[in-house]
Amino acid sequence: MRSLPLILVLFISFNCFSKTIFESGTQKTQLLQLFTSEGCSSCPLADKWLSTQKSNPELFKSFIPMAFHVDYWDRLGWKDTYSQSKFTDRQRLLKSQGLIKSVYTPGIIFEDKEFRQWFKGNGTITTTNQAAKKLMATIENDVLIVNYDSDQTDLVVNIAYLKMNEVVDINRGENSGKQLKHDFVVLEMMQVRYKKNTPIILDFLTEGKNKDTALSIWITKDNRLENLQAVGGYL
């Protein structure tokens, strides 16, 4: 039997057993959530602004951006490539829990409240000194293990799988003829009850680990959307 070259064996071994660790400090990492749609003419500017956060030195340290593509624009000429009804449901739940006043696009949420200064031309992300428990996430192959420094029993782990550098040509709707570029696009999202050291299978990692994918992981209380602590980074 012919043996594999040593370099190929090392490459296979590295990819089979590679481990990624995200760990927070004792200050809160905030979520920056954009609710957007490819069918909304005012959304491309917000998408472009979110993409500029890739060069922010505080990215994945003090804040984690996510773009949720809603589906309520889909019936108006263009079906958003990334829209999901559960993202629309999330935005509506934010309203029902009093975190935002209305459901619209582009809708920007930072520190669990509406980020309205963006509409006034101020898109500066200000970091926080708010104290928070430590959170660590370990990803090995398709398995995630989360450890949160808390004894609370009513906690939920939220996981979002993000895609970078996406380009879509739009040929109908309000953005017809435009080429839209997206970053931090949420492809999949899941929620599981938090149990320390309990493996979580990430069966949606279809893109594998590469520089164009990232994970966002954050802790909430059961039936609430306020972020308690978050970690994330490129895969």
Side-chain angles (χ1 to χ4, degrees):
M1 176 176 157
R2 188 176 181 179
S3 61
L4 291 171
L6 177 60
I7 292 177
L8 180 56
V9 172
L10 291 175
F11 176 81
I12 293 173
S13 299
F14 177 81
N15 280 272
C16 288
F17 300 100
S18 61
K19 181 184 292 187
T20 302
I21 298 175
F22 302 133
E23 188 171 6
S24 76
T26 55
Q27 294 182 349
K28 188 174 181 181
T29 300
Q30 301 287 353
L31 299 183
L32 175 60
Q33 304 174 68
L34 169 64
F35 290 88
T36 185
S37 172
E38 292 178 338
C40 160
S41 62
S42 56
C43 286
L45 281 177
D47 294 335
K48 186 176 181 180
W49 168 76
L50 196 72
S51 292
T52 65
Q53 302 306 321
K54 289 194 295 184
S55 61
N56 192 320
E58 292 298 317
L59 175 64
F60 297 124
K61 298 176 184 177
S62 297
F63 73 98
I64 301 174
M66 295 183 287
F68 293 95
H69 286 238
V70 298
D71 67 348
Y72 49 81
W73 281 89
D74 287 1
R75 66 184 185 279
L76 300 177
W78 175 259
K79 186 183 185 310
D80 189 303
T81 313
Y82 306 97
S83 66
Q84 295 188 41
S85 60
K86 63 183 175 181
F87 300 155
T88 298
D89 293 341
R90 177 176 178 80
Q91 191 180 28
R92 289 172 176 161
L93 190 56
L94 283 164
K95 180 178 183 297
S96 69
Q97 293 189 4
L99 300 178
I100 61 176
K101 293 182 179 179
S102 57
V103 173
Y104 59 92
T105 58
I108 304 172
I109 317 297
F110 184 57
E111 298 184 6
D112 294 319
K113 57 187 177 182
E114 290 177 277
F115 189 70
R116 288 196 170 274
Q117 56 262 44
W118 180 84
F119 296 97
K120 300 176 182 179
N122 180 12
T124 303
I125 300 298
T126 303
T127 58
T128 180
N129 293 322
Q130 183 178 349
K133 303 287 188 180
K134 283 188 176 182
L135 174 63
M136 184 172 73
T138 303
I139 305 101
E140 190 166 10
N141 296 327
D142 296 339
V143 178
L144 167 68
I145 294 179
V146 176
N147 285 310
Y148 181 54
D149 187 19
S150 174
D151 295 326
Q152 290 180 255
T153 58
D154 60 339
L155 299 177
V156 173
V157 180
N158 303 264
I159 306 157
Y161 182 42
L162 312 179
K163 193 72 166 65
M164 317 295 291
N165 302 314
E166 293 291 274
V167 179
V168 179
D169 294 315
I170 311 297
N171 53 44
R172 291 189 304 279
E174 291 190 0
N175 290 314
S176 180
K178 294 181 180 179
Q179 185 180 77
L180 302 185
K181 298 180 180 180
H182 307 304
D183 290 294
F184 307 106
V185 182
V186 180
L187 296 185
E188 295 290 344
M189 181 179 171
M190 65 182 292
Q191 296 174 303
V192 296
R193 186 167 294 280
Y194 171 67
K195 292 183 180 179
K196 188 175 182 179
N197 290 322
T198 300
I200 302 170
I201 305 301
L202 305 179
D203 55 6
F204 50 74
L205 292 181
T206 56
E207 298 286 339
K209 292 184 178 182
N210 59 66
K211 63 181 180 180
D212 287 335
T213 60
L215 274 186
S216 174
I217 301 154
W218 67 102
I219 301 294
T220 58
K221 290 185 178 180
D222 194 17
N223 296 319
R224 294 297 303 178
L225 295 184
E226 291 95 335
N227 165 45
L228 299 179
Q229 183 61 293
V231 292
Y234 295 113
L235 291 172

